Structure formats: C-alpha cells, structure tokens
Amino acid sequence: MKKIALVTGGSSGIGKAIAIELASNDFEVVINFSSSKENALEVQQEITQRGGQAQIFQADITLEKDIFELFNFIDQSFQRLDILVNNAGIYIPDFIESHKIEDWDKILDLNLKSKFLCTKYAIPLLKKSSSPRIVNIATRAAVKPIEESVAYCCASAGIIMLSQVSALELSKYNIRVNTVSPGLTRTP
C-alpha cells in the first residue's frame, strides 16, 4: 500500500522537487496549489510519466475553509495521511520603515499561519498512519536575519517554534515533526 503525502505549494520550486522526490519513493502525492493549475498539472504529469501517482487540489491555504476542504478531500480519498510537507511560502522584500502591513499579513498568513492550520487539520489523518511525519519548510533567515526581510524572518522563526511545540505535543501520537531550513535556492 502506497504511503500518502501532501505537499503544500507543490506546483513549483522547492515544493515541486519535494513532490517529485516523494513520488519516486513510492508515495502517492497530493499537490496543493493556490493559483496555477497549469503548473500543478505539469507536476502531476511529470510524476505520472515517471511511474508515480499524484493528485492535485486547489486551495488557498491562508483560508481555514479551504484547508478544511483540502483535508476532507484527503480523508475521502485515502482515509489517512502519512506525511505533511508544509512548504508553501512567499517572499516580499522591504525594509521595516517602508514595509506595508498588507505585505506583512500576506507573508505571515501563508508562511506561518497556514502551517499551523494545516498541522491542526492533518492530525486526525496522521494518527491513522503507522509512521506519521510533518516537515515544515522554513529558511535560514529564521536564525540568521537578512535586511529587507523583516516579515519573512519573523515568519521563519515562528515556523521553527511551531515545529518544536508540535513535536512536543504530537509525540504522544508518534507524529514526528521536523523543520528544514534551506538557504538561497533558485526557483521561479
């Protein structure tokens, strides 16, 4: 029986690479995307051409109702989840003195709040797995601040703490939680 993985932001960049790698390791992958169905279909096709299996699901994971629908789809389709990869994120550079609150909210909503909400809704499905895992993608900016990145750095630091608290609370269910913090990565 194939294991089931959800990759948020799986239609491009790091998320695409993660989805393809998981599929090549015998996972059926649910690729979450927000706006580019075309990109998601391309990733799904690439996985299928390599002999893997993938589903796509459009959800704005900054909205709790969309997250509920995403996890309802996974429950209806697979009745469990083995790995949640909280990957989706954005970067909007700006200095503190000129940073727009709208951009601050966009970054914190997608980069941090969505990871919390996806974790929350994934727990019942992860409990049904024999080896449940959550991998939160942060950045090196979580521990090494960079200019023009106040919201991005704060969200990344929050991701690390979210992972630590989640690991502490979810260990009783054998759910392992880790953070991966890549450095600068060339993506579209």
Side-chain angles (χ1 to χ4, degrees):
M1 177 169 42
K2 283 189 179 281
K3 291 190 174 190
I4 309 303
L6 167 62
V7 181
T8 67
S11 63
S12 69
I14 292 172
K16 174 183 176 179
I18 292 168
I20 291 169
E21 184 64 24
L22 285 167
S24 71
N25 282 283
D26 210 29
F27 282 84
E28 182 155 355
V29 181
V30 177
I31 300 162
N32 159 251
F33 70 99
S34 177
S35 58
S36 180
K37 185 172 186 176
E38 182 179 320
N39 285 355
L41 287 168
E42 287 175 13
V43 176
Q44 182 185 36
Q45 182 178 20
E46 186 171 343
I47 287 170
T48 303
Q49 288 173 345
R50 294 177 181 207
Q53 293 179 295
Q55 306 290 324
I56 64 170
F57 194 91
Q58 184 172 15
D60 177 348
I61 59 171
T62 66
L63 303 174
E64 190 170 14
K65 69 175 184 59
D66 281 20
I67 293 172
F68 176 81
E69 291 171 8
L70 170 61
F71 284 95
N72 188 51
F73 167 77
I74 294 169
D75 188 25
Q76 295 296 314
S77 301
F78 308 107
Q79 295 78 53
R80 74 173 199 291
L81 183 64
D82 298 292
I83 295 182
L84 166 61
V85 180
N86 276 319
N87 167 72
I90 57 170
Y91 175 68
I92 304 171
D94 207 346
F95 290 101
I96 294 171
E97 62 187 329
S98 56
H99 210 298
K100 297 178 188 134
I101 192 65
E102 298 84 17
D103 290 342
W104 172 276
D105 289 344
K106 284 180 192 174
I107 293 167
L108 272 285
D109 282 353
L110 183 59
N111 295 18
L112 181 58
K113 183 178 84 173
S114 72
K115 288 172 177 59
F116 160 72
L117 288 171
C118 285
T119 297
K120 176 181 176 177
Y121 282 97
I123 293 168
L125 293 171
L126 289 166
K127 286 179 179 180
K128 298 176 183 180
S129 172
S130 61
S131 57
R133 306 286 184 260
I134 298 172
V135 178
N136 291 319
I137 308 298
T139 72
R140 69 180 181 90
V143 294
K144 185 174 175 59
I146 51 177
E147 288 186 303
E148 286 188 88
S149 303
V150 62
Y152 189 71
C153 292
C154 290
S156 292
I159 293 165
I160 290 175
M161 186 53 68
L162 172 65
S163 297
Q164 291 174 348
V165 173
S166 298
L168 184 65
E169 289 188 13
L170 301 178
S171 64
K172 63 187 169 200
Y173 306 120
N174 198 34
I175 299 173
R176 291 189 183 179
V177 184
N178 290 289
T179 305
V180 176
S181 297
L184 185 62
T185 305
R186 290 181 190 259
T187 65

